[in-house]
Amino acid sequence: RICEQKGVDLVVACVRDLIRVYNGRIQILCGGMANLTKYGDYIVDTYSYGVAQEMFKLRAEFPWSFYANPAEFFTDGPLVNLGSDFGVMPSRFEPGGIVQQEFFVAGTPVIAFKTGGLKDTVHEFDPVAATGNGFVFEHHNAQALMNSFQRAMAVYADPNMYGKLRQNARESVVDAQEVGWKWYTEFARLKGCVIAHKDRMQHELKRVEPELAAMKPVYRPPRVQPTPAAVFRWTHGANEVYVAGSWDGWSGRLRLSRGLGNKAHEWQLSLHVSPGTYAYKFIVDDVWVNAMDQPMANDEGGNMNNTITVHPPRIPQRAKRPPFRSPF
């Protein structure tokens, strides 16, 4: 498609120089559809519209050397991949890129901007070492692209060297199975999972079966139930609040924490104790008192105290793990 990301403007900017330098013995085909939507004088996509208008002009000016029809969707990609001497991908950014692989399948070398997935798959051809599958440019401007065109044409002029370049391109195709496996391993890493190879697992299980049969049962310590918490609240204001109770035989007092802001009149304490019913009293500014808004009862000596009942915690049943199933 003709959009700013794809950098088609660089190709358009090089057309006249390419035709001039090679005396018209070159054919340039730009495939892709542009956004030509207008509402009166308002152009929805100025980049796409402007590049498309320049393409129409070039097609009329150089009918034997340049073709583009940005008003229609391009449908002959496979034929172009097979018939081209070079594929050009001047994308400003390209997370992965699939078109270069389509060119490589046809043995067509690619000229690309060094970015994203393109820099990982398109490598500068070295005529001395005969390595590389295309040509790259590192500065996103028309002059840098033109320079890469000229390097490509110099190799094209040598049939043996160009044949090696096409061979390299064909051999550099990234298999979709390899890509899928890399994604699978990456997802396993992110999820903290161990990748399961069915055949390898079966082989390993068979190998260790005698050892597993001879192993003693693993000791599993009993589960320790968490101690429930009793919550004490004093909501009637004070300078200092403590609580004492029967959980330790009234042998000590515990300080409550004061709330903040609009809850500065509230005091609270969470105390972990064994399940049961306990008597308690608040010590508010050194005075032993009961909270009238909390349950109360007389003890054996006839003393009135607040009371609280702490229930055993509810422990959810551990879900059974489903049987292991290999993804293969």
Side-chain angles (χ1 to χ4, degrees):
R1 61 190 184 278
I2 299 172
C3 63
E4 193 166 1
Q5 178 214 340
K6 298 300 180 182
V8 190
D9 58 297
L10 296 190
V11 178
V12 171
C14 291
V15 168
R16 287 185 171 83
D17 286 339
L18 286 169
I19 294 173
R20 175 183 56 80
V21 170
Y22 298 104
N23 297 319
R25 293 184 300 172
I26 187 171
Q27 290 183 324
I28 303 164
L29 173 61
C30 287
M33 192 172 185
N35 184 354
L36 301 176
T37 307
K38 286 182 65 178
Y39 298 100
D41 294 331
Y42 175 71
I43 300 172
V44 173
D45 187 337
T46 55
Y47 174 90
S48 185
Y49 187 89
V51 171
Q53 297 307 310
E54 185 63 22
M55 285 180 169
F56 288 131
K57 292 178 184 178
L58 291 170
R59 190 176 74 179
E61 186 177 349
F62 305 103
W64 296 105
S65 294
F66 181 84
Y67 178 82
N69 188 359
E72 294 184 2
F73 186 77
F74 190 69
T75 57
D76 297 321
L79 291 177
V80 172
N81 296 338
L82 287 166
S84 299
D85 296 313
F86 295 97
V88 184
M89 297 184 67
S91 302
R92 284 178 166 81
F93 60 92
E94 198 69 64
I98 190 65
V99 176
Q100 77 271 32
Q101 300 298 330
E102 295 172 348
F103 277 115
F104 290 157
V105 167
T108 301
V110 172
I111 300 170
F113 180 54
K114 195 172 184 179
T115 183
L118 294 178
K119 70 177 176 61
D120 295 330
T121 52
V122 182
H123 307 290
E124 182 77 18
F125 182 72
D126 182 347
V128 177
T131 58
N133 56 6
F135 300 90
V136 297
F137 58 104
E138 299 187 9
H139 302 285
H140 202 268
N141 56 58
Q143 184 58 57
L145 176 58
M146 188 68 187
N147 292 340
S148 64
F149 278 136
Q150 291 176 328
R151 296 197 304 277
M153 294 299 286
V155 172
Y156 179 77
D158 184 332
N160 293 330
M161 195 66 70
Y162 179 67
K164 177 60 178 174
L165 173 59
R166 291 193 70 93
Q167 178 185 342
N168 292 353
R170 191 176 297 109
E171 292 174 352
S172 66
V173 176
V174 177
D175 194 318
Q177 186 174 359
E178 179 184 347
V179 175
W181 176 252
K182 287 185 177 180
W183 275 113
Y184 181 69
T185 56
E186 177 63 10
F187 285 133
R189 183 190 69 80
L190 292 172
K191 297 293 290 184
C193 300
V194 177
I195 297 175
H197 298 265
K198 183 178 180 181
D199 296 338
R200 188 181 303 172
M201 286 184 61
Q202 290 177 345
H203 172 76
E204 289 298 315
L205 285 172
K206 188 173 182 179
R207 183 182 65 81
V208 300
E209 271 181 357
E211 299 177 28
L212 293 175
M215 289 177 62
K216 296 181 179 179
V218 178
Y219 170 75
R220 298 184 182 277
R223 294 185 64 187
V224 178
Q225 293 188 357
T227 305
V231 180
F232 302 93
R233 291 187 180 88
W234 178 265
T235 59
H236 307 291
N239 293 320
E240 203 167 35
V241 180
Y242 292 83
V243 67
S246 60
W247 52 83
D248 61 356
W250 302 87
S251 62
R253 58 173 65 181
L254 301 171
R255 190 177 190 277
L256 278 66
S257 298
R258 190 173 195 169
L260 300 175
N262 58 1
K263 292 189 176 183
H265 64 288
E266 298 183 8
W267 298 74
Q268 181 172 306
L269 171 69
S270 293
L271 178 64
H272 289 274
V273 294
S274 300
T277 299
Y278 299 95
Y280 65 94
K281 258 188 170 66
F282 292 102
I283 303 105
V284 180
D285 296 336
D286 292 326
V287 179
W288 290 69
V289 295
N290 291 317
M292 304 305 294
D293 56 351
Q294 298 175 28
M296 291 186 290
N298 289 321
D299 61 15
E300 295 177 354
N303 300 307
M304 181 67 69
N305 300 306
N306 287 122
T307 62
I308 186 170
T309 299
V310 180
H311 299 282
R314 295 183 60 185
I315 303 176
Q317 294 295 323
R318 182 178 295 175
K320 293 183 178 180
R321 292 185 179 180
F324 172 77
R325 295 182 62 184
S326 170
F328 298 97

